[in-house]
Amino acid sequence: MKRFSRHLWMAALVAALCPASSQAQSYAYYPAEMAGAPGVVPASAMAANSGREAAGPVCASCSECCTGCCGCGCFGINWPCGCLLSDLGEASKLCKPCCEDSQWSTTGWLEQSFTWNPYSPADRFNGPVTWTDRSNDYQMNEFWYGFGRVTKTEGCGTDWGMRVDAFYGTNYRWDTSAGFETKWGTNGTFYGLAVPNLYAEGAYNNWTVRAGRFVSPVGYYTVGSPNNFFPVIPYTYQYGEPFTHTGVWALNKLSDQLTVGGAITHGWDDTDNTGNPHGGGLANATWTMDENRSLAWVGVFGDEPNLSGIHPKTSGGIAQGTGFTSRYFQTLVYTRKFSDDVMGVLQSDFGTQHDAIRDPGGNLRTAKWYGLNGYLYWNMTCRCQWGLNGEWFRDQGGFRVGQVLPSFGSPNARGLARANFDGSFYRLTFGPRYYFTPNMYTRIAFLWDWYDGKKNGGGQYPFDDGTKNYQQCLVFDLVNTF
């Protein structure tokens, strides 16, 4: 009964926190396109309306009163109708190009959050939940600024571009690269600096070639919390996918519907031989079926760190630290726009690594991790959108969950100490995104996590300081863009 009442109380609180009626501001439920990120990017970073101004939902039963932002009674509720982005004015920018068609752009925001965990775990961690990983604590997640120049050839000619993005905050722990941020020696336990994008780009006709460090195109979620609907990371992204790559990535736009690409990289979240002396590869393809449907595939392969210790890095014939074995990972994302106000996404992940772990008897085993994510977004009003996410993530062998932090890229960072959970993780995420002004919005997410699997070697479960296989949290965040 106590557990049920806690669930009911949290659900009621979520419902009370989003205003049901509002005026003005229309923003799409899709996150805005990452500024200066041409070509194939994660589905969650794609633009919703291709530059068109979006309108809020209009109720047919009261369309006569919807002249501007008057609001009207639909189904007994005062729903605002037909409001456009321009009704609140244009979002301000610290630096705005003089020419409207300039290829230069800037991106900036301050994201802050607080996570309420009613269980108040003694270690102050929300289990394997990341980004908003601290229990009942304030976090300045990202103070971000970036600038760049996109290439533009329209299929003919040559051009050049570049991109630099850097941020300070608690999220730095997930976006560092071994051999890059590790050389600074200034990042701390929870706060630090990360540079997820630092690349130059050249374009020739329909070809684009990027060289340097760049955000990985895998999956649906992407680096930069405001580029996503919810302020928390799915298990599939945090524990199953790379965040950044360093290397050379070539893309070819074969047609308006099909783009393909390939990259030579230094592996997952690695810049030099500090974390991984091996090279890796990446291939991707995006098929835009029509204006409402798209399908994206990304495959990543190469030798990566293991937990078995075999094939270690050597120096002068002497083994040096972690071993490395072959890893393959792929992700598939299907996006479907059902109407101007409703969009759905399905994502599947599959990863495997040869001889990555050992069983209790010391025998080598192949690790596998895979999962399925479903998202549904609804533009309820001009200011308020709702999102729903259901997730299943299977960590077969206990190789991935809890192993990411501290990482090669952030050795001084602190993360969840509990690891090696051989089982399935499930999550239900639900909540609104509400805009106060064109430059300020809040996201509220109710998380219900549960785990079905074995305890780890220490006899622990993932949640509530190792004592529970379930958890509920309420995440609040505030984003100011500039």
Side-chain angles (χ1 to χ4, degrees), residues 74-371:
C74 302
F75 311 111
I77 303 175
N78 185 34
W79 302 83
C81 303
C83 309
L84 300 176
L85 179 61
S86 58
D87 292 325
L88 269 187
E90 186 178 357
S92 60
K93 302 281 287 185
L94 282 180
C95 182
K96 186 176 180 180
C98 297
C99 304
E100 291 185 2
D101 59 350
S102 174
Q103 293 169 247
W104 289 93
S105 64
T106 63
T107 305
W109 58 73
L110 172 63
E111 188 224 351
Q112 306 169 81
S113 70
F114 181 88
T115 302
W116 177 49
N117 186 330
Y119 301 97
S120 299
D123 64 357
R124 300 294 300 276
F125 278 98
N126 298 317
V129 175
T130 45
W131 274 353
T132 53
D133 63 327
R134 298 291 288 156
S135 165
N136 302 312
D137 200 359
Y138 164 84
Q139 292 179 256
M140 189 188 79
N141 299 86
E142 296 177 359
F143 183 44
W144 181 296
Y145 196 73
F147 65 94
R149 186 184 192 273
V150 298
T151 56
K152 185 186 298 184
T153 65
E154 298 181 352
C156 183
T158 61
D159 200 3
W160 68 276
M162 55 81 65
R163 185 77 199 171
V164 178
D165 287 283
F167 74 92
Y168 180 83
T170 58
N171 284 5
Y172 99 91
R173 293 169 288 161
W174 290 273
D175 298 331
T176 54
S177 180
F180 192 76
E181 286 90 351
T182 51
K183 295 185 181 297
W184 304 344
T186 57
N187 287 337
T189 303
F190 294 112
Y191 283 86
L193 182 68
V195 184
N197 279 316
L198 180 62
Y199 63 80
E201 190 171 83
Y204 174 71
N205 294 344
N206 289 321
W207 282 93
T208 302
V209 179
R210 182 176 300 177
R213 185 180 175 197
F214 49 86
V215 173
S216 179
V218 301
Y220 175 62
Y221 261 56
T222 188
V223 172
S225 178
N227 290 317
N228 309 288
F229 189 91
F230 291 114
V232 292
I233 308 180
Y235 289 95
T236 48
Y237 186 39
Q238 166 55 45
Y239 297 109
E241 304 172 4
F243 280 56
T244 64
H245 301 287
T246 300
V248 179
W249 182 23
L251 291 165
N252 187 5
K253 186 178 180 182
L254 299 177
S255 68
D256 290 339
Q257 287 74 42
L258 182 62
T259 299
V260 299
I264 299 174
T265 73
H266 217 306
W268 293 35
D269 307 306
D270 191 80
T271 299
D272 62 12
N273 292 342
T274 301
N276 187 353
H278 306 283
L282 179 150
N284 65 279
T286 299
W287 177 29
T288 304
M289 306 174 204
D290 51 43
E291 62 180 7
N292 294 321
R293 298 175 300 159
S294 67
L295 186 67
W297 171 86
V298 181
V300 185
F301 48 89
D303 284 358
E304 297 291 340
N306 60 44
L307 296 181
S308 62
I310 67 169
H311 307 308
K313 181 171 61 175
T314 60
S315 177
I318 301 175
Q320 303 286 321
T322 305
F324 299 86
T325 48
S326 60
R327 180 186 298 177
Y328 173 76
F329 172 81
Q330 71 170 34
T331 183
L332 190 67
V333 179
Y334 173 72
T335 304
R336 172 65 187 269
K337 186 178 178 182
F338 297 103
S339 70
D340 287 341
D341 301 307
V342 179
M343 186 190 81
V345 178
L346 281 176
Q347 174 195 350
S348 70
D349 280 7
F350 174 79
T352 181
Q353 184 164 341
H354 183 65
D355 290 342
I357 52 178
R358 294 182 184 271
D359 63 20
N363 302 307
L364 293 171
R365 291 288 183 265
T366 294
K368 295 181 180 179
W369 59 98
Y370 40 89

